[in-house]
Amino acid sequence: MAALPVAVAARTNTPGPVLDELTFEAERLGQVRVSVWTPPDYRRGQGRHRVLYMHDGQNLFDPAVSGYGKVWHVDRAVTSLALGPEAPIVVGIWNPVAARYRTYVPAEPFARLSPDIRRALAPLVDGAVVSDAYLDFVTGPLKRAIDTRYRTRPDVSNTAIMGSSMGGLISLYAMVRHRDVFGSAACLSTHWPLFVPGPAEDAPYQAAVIDNWRSWLGDRLGPPAGRRIWFDHGTETLDRLYRPYQAAVDKLLPSLGWKQGRDFESRAYPGAPHEENAWAARLGDPLRWLYGQPGGV
């Protein structure tokens, strides 16, 4: 696995942000493209910055390369917080479009599902689950390259991870599996059901998957120990499925020592659908949670 990017290029969007484009060859993943945005104070100063790793990197900055022609406009959202030298570097990891599900579905809880549910999910997975390999790449070669190339604060308290939908699941999984790397995670529209509408609304399926998440989190999450998690969801389109799943997680976390408002937050956005414009519209909220509160990451 390469420790440094095999290709580096700078790309300037007009009138969009200036991004560094890195390409890696990663074990079991193949070629991985990464877009890196540095905040204005990074380019003006000499200080070190926190780092925010984000999934679905092609959907974060530039509509011209987005899979849906819509983006989160992460650069605008971070800049609008006026964090100055405290603003994070944003590392956008492009998803492998044809293998997104098996890259982002958390391997440990997936393996704990019943054989019947795993068989039902097989067409979506479409191959071997590679989320452990993906996180090994992010926390290993990618993080080493970012910490080598940029002026970062590499410690756990200054390293966060964020994503939406399946990206929300892999963000939570990253913080659980690599608690020595990520001090916080933001999970937007977390795709707890694993299925799209249909089976995800079936009561026995829903109960089984909720129990699986509760069991895995109960065994693996542990107390906060300074970590912080943001959860949210809308109420329309795919997001309408998430309320009972999220409610079960919200109920579980206090029993593990997580206090809402301090260690985790969970919000619902009435009327918000499951798409990039909705995540862009509320992105300031999780960013303030991560970076704008005393004692935050």
Side-chain angles (χ1 to χ4, degrees):
M1 202 183 294
L4 292 172
V6 297
V8 179
R11 173 169 58 84
T12 302
N13 297 325
T14 305
V18 176
L19 304 172
D20 291 335
E21 299 291 350
L22 315 180
T23 305
F24 296 79
E25 288 294 332
E27 187 175 345
R28 296 190 67 196
L29 305 175
Q31 191 172 94
V32 180
R33 184 170 171 179
V34 177
S35 299
V36 181
W37 176 80
T38 54
D41 273 70
Y42 180 91
R43 298 188 293 273
R44 291 194 290 257
Q46 295 299 318
R48 293 188 172 273
H49 286 249
R50 298 175 287 193
V51 182
L52 173 59
Y53 290 86
M54 296 187 68
H55 314 289
D56 296 310
Q58 61 265 57
N59 300 333
L60 302 180
F61 303 105
D62 183 359
V65 299
S66 168
Y68 310 99
K70 299 175 286 190
V71 294
W72 294 45
H73 293 297
V74 178
D75 53 306
R76 299 180 191 176
V78 173
T79 302
S80 72
L81 296 181
L83 296 172
E86 296 299 307
I89 297 166
V90 179
V91 179
I93 310 154
W94 288 42
N95 73 58
V97 176
R100 183 176 182 270
Y101 192 100
R102 65 175 177 265
T103 302
Y104 289 175
V105 67
E108 289 177 10
F110 182 83
R112 296 168 67 141
L113 291 165
S114 71
D116 286 347
I117 291 179
R118 290 201 307 274
R119 279 193 294 271
L121 293 172
L124 292 172
V125 179
D126 193 27
V129 172
V130 293
S131 52
D132 285 353
Y134 173 67
L135 292 182
D136 288 345
F137 162 72
V138 173
T139 59
L142 177 58
K143 189 173 189 301
R144 287 196 296 271
I146 297 300
D147 291 339
T148 298
R149 181 177 175 85
Y150 299 92
R151 302 189 312 273
T152 69
R153 302 180 195 173
D155 60 288
V156 63
S157 66
N158 288 297
T159 307
I161 192 161
M162 178 186 290
S164 64
S165 193
M166 294 298 293
L169 289 180
I170 194 66
S171 297
L172 176 64
Y173 188 45
M175 201 186 70
V176 172
R177 189 170 184 264
H178 294 278
R179 64 188 64 204
D180 58 332
V181 176
F182 300 108
S184 59
C187 311
L188 284 66
S189 296
T190 314
H191 192 54
W192 302 110
L194 299 172
F195 256 125
V196 295
E201 297 173 289
D202 177 72
Y205 175 87
Q206 184 182 102
V209 173
I210 286 174
D211 284 347
N212 192 71
W213 285 118
R214 287 175 55 86
S215 173
W216 175 73
L217 285 168
D219 290 343
R220 295 283 281 125
L221 180 61
R227 296 177 296 164
R228 305 173 84 225
I229 309 174
W230 169 279
F231 295 112
D232 75 26
H233 63 87
T235 61
E236 301 300 319
T237 64
L238 199 56
D239 274 36
R240 67 183 171 78
L241 303 175
Y242 298 154
R243 186 187 62 79
Y245 296 86
Q246 188 64 60
V249 173
D250 294 347
K251 184 177 180 180
L252 171 68
L253 262 58
S255 71
L256 302 176
W258 293 72
K259 181 179 179 180
Q260 187 163 0
R262 182 193 68 189
D263 307 312
F264 81 99
E265 188 57 86
S266 181
R267 296 189 190 176
Y269 291 84
H274 189 91
E275 52 99 25
E276 281 69 21
N277 286 343
W279 300 321
R282 66 179 186 258
L283 180 56
D285 290 345
L287 287 173
R288 277 186 288 272
W289 170 254
L290 293 178
Y291 299 112
Q293 296 183 1
V297 175

